[in-house]
Amino acid sequence: MSVLALLRDRFAIACHRAFGLPRNYDPAIAAAKDPKFGDYQCNAALGLAKSLQRPPRTVAQNIIDHVDLGDCCDLPELAGPGFINVRLRGDFVAQQIQQMLRDDRLGLPMTQSPQRVIVDFSSPNIAKEMHVGHLRSTIIGDCLARVLAYLGHDVLRLNHVGDWGTQFGMLITYLREACPEALVHSNALELGDLVAFYRAAKQRFDEDDTFRDTARLAVVDLQTGEAIARRAWTLLCEQSRREFEKIYTLLDISLIERGESFYNPYLSAVVDDLTASGLLQQDGGAACVFLEGFTNKDGNPLPLIIQKSDGGYNYATTDLAAIRYRTTQDRADRILYVTDMGQSGHFAQVFQVARRAGWVPEGVELTHVPFGLVLGEDGKKFKTRSGDTVPLKVLLDEAIARAEKDLRDRNPEAATDFIHPTAQVIGIAAVKYADLSQNRTSNYLFSYDKMLSLQGNTAPYLLYAYVRICGIGRKGGIDLETQTLQPDQLQYFSLREPAELVLAKHLIQWGETIEAVAIELLPNRLCQYLFELSQKFNQFFEQCPVLQAEEPGRSHRLALCQATARTLKLGLGLLGIPTVAKM
RNA sequence: GGGGCUGUGGCUCAGUUGGAUAGAGCAAGUGCCUCCUAAGCACUAGGUCGGCGGUUCAAGUCCGCCCAGUCCCGCCA
């Protein structure tokens, strides 16, 4: 049980005893914002004062009189208008650290109520290059999937790739003229060529009516399963998939590809069932569901188009079919869609129709997990100087190259077989961490210089804290990763130095932090925790020599090092970032 | 026209359920390597939380209006 949960429980009991409130009353426990207010505070009295018709300080005193914290805290203090400040006792903290060290999970239990969770993320488009927008979805989605799986949920990671629709008719039609080999051989084209063809095809589609009609016919061919079109489509997908795999390997992301085309066989049933339930209406030749709470320019209900006037389906149809498949076949309890903020309207609409159609079983949660745009250092959409989107491969290689240069400057003697893999870890870590460390809902300013900076809230700073601990282990001949400290060495475990206690108190907040990330779906909370952990470790490192300390203090400090190292490694791991022993 | 999101030191951002004197990092300035990696640590300076009103014992946080930026709004995804 986390310290937060423990205190919540104790204060709920106190409120029950003092005022007859329910046992599960939420006593408003929060981590103290300032160390001078202790470690945690109970703010229940301020809220209760009104309903109890008593002054808040009296209420607070009443709670203090009834709370039982003898095993874990000093006497609670009444402060200000009615705050109750609580300070953890050193021996209690030490005992919690020992518990962490005895447990592979650092004291964080698996969830009592595991769910089947689908995380729908990354989702690049076939025949297009992955760009920074996919990077955010990929990194954030992967992190959330890792955290939920770690807590014991059954996570299905789905890559809902854009492998179907109008763009293929367009592309196939164009390639028939421009590069027919690409429709027959799987390795005729590089993805870069494909992207260029796509762009040209799009231009023709927008400008040339005849081309547009031919392209639409090609889509119909594809949808009816016509052999030549189908083969061309398969080849295009294969060529793209090879490129995607390179990126996923580099980023250490695992995903199950289940693109839009997968739901093709289920689309007509969506239309049939919506017709049967009376939700579907014909309007201007298209089959639509009119939405509640969405209006168009004239104030009339906005339609969600399920079937186009040409008989084709669109992405709303696919998403509805996917919801049905995921709730019935995959038996999902929770579905997370990690896509950019711009799609929030679309998901609100699709979710509404799915609910009204009765396709979302009781207790199943559909959540759009939105994120903001990636901006360049000029504050505008991230592009090259010439205005092109930056391919992800280029961006990642650049980060690695910069990390490598830095590493060589600092370690001129080092061998390439050290520099190369280390630079790769640091470069990728920097990109991932820069993204994850910001609240995902806001736009994010992409800057190589900032993410690779050696100071501040960056991946290199955290990695360095870990490296320092490894250094202590090396120097002392102690393998902190595997060698657990003997219980008798910890028997009189005590934390005398302020820096020891500050570090230890932060370490024991690990569990409540991860639980908060899983509820709020905000990886930046985990980043914040790890950054503060690294800061507190560095302060401890400055103030408290470990190896030269006398026993039993030496063992106690080694225990703190071990707990910090394991927490950093596990925490970074949940962000999708590996550690290094030297840098 | 409707809707979403954003607005917090020079810059980039945190800010949990409404709680005490709004926090970091960068940049700037000053110290600290005989010592486990100085990619570090300590200290200084910097704020009308876009504006106005409201709710509340208490508002950066909730509500209303306004301003600025940005994204979305029937047959693209």
Side-chain angles (χ1 to χ4, degrees), chain A residues 213-512:
Chain A
D213 292 341
T214 319
R216 289 219 169 106
L217 287 175
V219 176
V220 175
D221 279 352
L222 198 55
Q223 291 186 338
T224 54
E226 191 270 328
I228 296 171
R230 204 62 193 227
R231 165 127 183 95
W233 171 76
T234 307
L235 291 173
L236 291 175
C237 290
E238 278 173 19
Q239 293 168 69
S240 293
R241 197 170 292 131
R242 276 203 307 272
E243 286 304 310
F244 296 160
E245 276 313 311
K246 286 184 198 164
I247 304 273
Y248 292 136
T249 303
L250 193 55
L251 291 174
D252 186 27
I253 306 284
S254 71
L255 273 162
I256 294 169
E257 183 180 318
R258 199 195 270 175
E260 291 165 356
S261 62
F262 177 89
Y263 302 100
N264 226 25
Y266 310 102
L267 297 177
S268 58
V270 168
V271 174
D272 293 345
D273 291 3
L274 286 174
T275 307
S277 62
L279 286 173
L280 208 62
Q281 296 175 36
Q282 295 298 319
D283 189 80
C288 326
V289 177
F290 284 92
L291 298 158
E292 295 166 353
F294 293 88
T295 52
N296 63 15
K297 294 179 181 81
D298 310 317
N300 298 316
L302 198 69
L304 183 69
I305 293 178
I306 305 297
Q307 189 167 26
K308 298 186 285 183
S309 51
D310 67 0
Y313 304 105
N314 59 21
Y315 69 127
T317 327
T318 308
D319 282 342
L320 285 168
I323 288 173
R324 299 184 82 187
Y325 190 91
R326 291 168 180 185
T327 52
T328 57
Q329 305 302 303
D330 295 322
R331 310 204 65 79
D333 300 305
R334 193 179 187 196
I335 308 176
L336 306 180
Y337 295 83
V338 187
T339 77
D340 68 277
M341 198 98 66
Q343 295 190 52
S344 54
H346 164 70
F347 282 112
Q349 293 169 6
V350 167
F351 294 168
Q352 182 193 116
V353 171
R355 285 187 197 287
R356 284 165 65 195
W359 295 339
V360 186
E362 188 73 25
V364 170
E365 181 193 328
L366 305 176
T367 305
H368 179 218
V369 182
F371 53 83
L373 297 170
V374 182
L375 306 176
E377 295 191 64
D378 54 359
K380 294 180 184 161
K381 246 185 187 167
F382 190 76
K383 296 267 171 76
T384 60
R385 288 144 305 274
S386 54
D388 298 324
T389 55
V390 181
L392 210 41
K393 187 69 173 63
V394 171
L395 181 149
L396 295 173
D397 287 346
E398 173 73 13
I400 293 168
R402 290 184 185 223
E404 178 160 340
K405 185 185 177 302
D406 229 9
L407 209 49
R408 283 196 194 282
D409 290 348
R410 286 170 201 284
N411 303 277
E413 319 280 283
T416 302
D417 65 355
F418 162 74
I419 296 280
H420 194 70
T422 307
Q424 178 156 323
V425 170
I426 294 173
I428 298 295
V431 172
K432 286 190 177 184
Y433 190 85
D435 200 321
L436 293 169
S437 61
Q438 299 213 16
N439 186 318
R440 59 174 164 72
T441 54
S442 48
N443 290 346
Y444 147 59
L445 220 70
F446 189 95
S447 160
Y448 289 114
D449 289 336
K450 284 199 170 121
M451 69 178 65
L452 285 161
S453 163
L454 313 165
Q455 304 117 308
N457 188 7
T458 63
Y461 180 85
L462 306 203
L463 290 171
Y464 178 63
Y466 186 83
V467 162
R468 277 183 139 179
I469 303 174
C470 292
I472 294 173
R474 269 195 306 275
K475 183 94 175 198
I478 302 152
D479 184 353
L480 288 167
E481 286 217 12
T482 55
Q483 184 180 336
T484 40
L485 297 151
Q486 295 305 307
D488 61 321
Q489 289 177 288
L490 297 175
Q491 200 167 8
Y492 302 104
F493 190 22
S494 64
L495 302 158
R496 293 196 189 80
E497 289 296 318
E500 293 175 316
L501 197 56
V502 167
L503 175 60
K505 281 177 176 175
H506 196 259
L507 280 166
I508 64 178
Q509 290 177 14
W510 164 251
E512 60 201 54

Side-chain angles (χ1 to χ4, degrees), chain A residues 125-127 162-173 198 215 218-219 222 233 236-237 260:
Chain A
N125 292 313
I126 298 291
D163 65 354
W164 202 249
T166 322
Q167 77 259 29
F168 288 96
M170 198 165 95
L171 193 58
I172 289 170
T173 307
Y198 179 88
V219 176
L222 198 55
W233 171 76
L236 291 175
C237 290
E260 291 165 356

